[in-house]
Amino acid sequence: MIRFMQPWWLLTLLPVLALAAGYAWRQRHRRAYAMRFTNVALLRTVAPKGLGWRRHAAATAFLLALLALATGMARPAVDTREPLERATVMLAIDVSLSMQADDVAPNRLEAAQEAAKQFVGELPASYNLGLVSFAKSANVLVPPTKDRDAVTTAIDGLTLAESTATGEAVFTCLEAIRSVPADGATDIPPARIVLLSDGYRTAGRSVEEAAAAAQAANVPVSTIAFGTDAGQVDINGQPQRVPVDRLALAELAETTDGYFYEAASVSELKQVYQDMGSSIGFRTEPREITQWYAGVALLLALCAGGLSLLWTSRML
């Protein structure tokens, strides 16, 4: 079915139709004048043999060219079904104050940002990717998308805040995964969560609740721990130790069939999604066919000019 992306341009058909009506009226007027000439035998001797239907061919082709051109101005389009990969990976990055500890160079947050950007660069372009940051609460910074630049920009813009809501980060990622459009598919999209943190939840729902929810949704959570047991930060002028909670992060990964890393290389991180599988939906997209109308208009205009030159020695 053809639809028009800028239908107001169809108004340009009105002057073309008016021109066609004027041509028809003119031809009828000429025939009426000929009928008033009563001496038909004399008319045949003085007038050359007529072109008959051919004298209308060039004008008809020209009018059709104008109709095609005017219709093309409205940007006609047809609906097409485009396959769409629904597989989704969510990145969750800890931005709590403990992530400013410099026991990992240059500091935990910057190391996590670098690891996240490397992961973004390696993830297959067909997969959806989203970003969640978490401190006292968890927030979706980038919903699942194929726009890698948007995710990278958001990673670079992360800022620190108080508290660590690790469990909330997992729940927020699960909500984002459920928001991926079905696009005609009947199953939930295959998904993975990659959580980068230094551990020790201090706010929100527990890590155990989050692990149970991820397990029920069949979404593995892979965790990457940043920092050492000797980590320390200054908060309000007071030095505070911020050791890494490896145990909680490892248990979260193990419970959900994910992977736990302390210093993950890019090749190791490929394990996160290499067995994820695929889920194809179909999205209806308009495909513009203006070029076809323009092409038909050009051919008709050439025909009009050629026929007119052939039969009347005039362009039109």
Side-chain angles (χ1 to χ4, degrees), residues 85-91 119 123 127-130 144 170 173-180 187-194 214-215 217-222 256-258 271-279:
E85 176 61 75
R86 299 171 63 240
T88 302
V89 176
M90 292 298 301
L91 278 173
F119 180 81
L123 190 70
Y127 289 172
N128 292 310
L129 177 64
V170 175
C173 287
L174 293 174
E175 290 175 7
I177 291 166
R178 285 192 289 269
S179 73
V180 175
D187 56 343
I188 61 173
R192 300 287 187 270
I193 296 173
V194 180
Q215 187 179 37
N218 195 29
V219 178
V221 181
S222 293
T256 60
D257 293 326
Q271 296 179 91
V272 170
Y273 56 82
Q274 66 183 2
D275 64 340
M276 186 160 61
S278 177
S279 173

Side-chain angles (χ1 to χ4, degrees), residues 70-250:
T71 305
M73 294 289 288
R75 297 179 62 189
V78 294
D79 289 337
T80 58
R81 293 184 73 210
E82 300 288 341
L84 186 68
E85 176 61 75
R86 299 171 63 240
T88 302
V89 176
M90 292 298 301
L91 278 173
I93 301 180
D94 185 351
V95 292
S96 60
L97 295 179
S98 61
M99 290 292 285
Q100 65 185 317
D102 59 5
D103 52 339
V104 176
N107 60 49
R108 294 178 181 180
L109 179 59
E110 290 188 35
Q113 288 173 307
E114 184 59 32
K117 288 191 288 186
Q118 289 181 1
F119 180 81
V120 170
E122 290 293 325
L123 190 70
S126 60
Y127 289 172
N128 292 310
L129 177 64
L131 178 66
V132 167
S133 69
F134 64 99
K136 188 174 184 178
S137 61
N139 300 289
V140 177
L141 299 184
V142 182
T145 178
K146 292 180 173 60
D147 185 354
R148 300 294 189 260
D149 290 339
V151 178
T152 300
T153 300
I155 291 172
D156 286 333
L158 293 174
T159 56
L160 297 171
E162 294 182 351
S163 302
T164 307
T166 309
E168 294 300 328
V170 175
F171 279 107
T172 302
C173 287
L174 293 174
E175 290 175 7
I177 291 166
R178 285 192 289 269
S179 73
V180 175
D183 293 317
T186 56
D187 56 343
I188 61 173
R192 300 287 187 270
I193 296 173
V194 180
L195 188 142
L196 301 84
S197 176
D198 57 7
Y200 284 109
R201 178 193 66 87
T202 61
R205 284 169 283 186
S206 69
V207 176
E208 291 75 20
E209 290 178 273
Q215 187 179 37
N218 195 29
V219 178
V221 181
S222 293
T223 57
I224 307 174
F226 287 89
T228 66
D229 292 336
Q232 182 174 297
V233 295
D234 288 333
I235 298 178
N236 296 325
Q238 298 295 322
Q240 294 188 20
R241 292 186 63 250
V242 283
V244 177
D245 190 358
R246 296 182 184 85
L247 180 61
L249 294 174

Side-chain angles (χ1 to χ4, degrees), residues 281-307:
F282 289 90
R283 179 174 55 192
T284 300
E285 291 284 351
R287 181 167 64 88
E288 194 170 337
I289 55 173
T290 302
Q291 68 274 17
W292 293 105
Y293 282 77
V296 169
L298 178 61
L299 288 175
L300 287 170
L302 290 173
C303 287
L307 292 174

Side-chain angles (χ1 to χ4, degrees), residues 2-23:
I2 297 177
R3 57 192 180 97
F4 299 96
M5 300 175 69
Q6 294 181 349
W8 54 87
W9 278 103
L10 291 175
L11 292 174
T12 58
L13 290 172
L14 296 178
V16 179
L17 294 175
L19 183 62
Y23 177 80

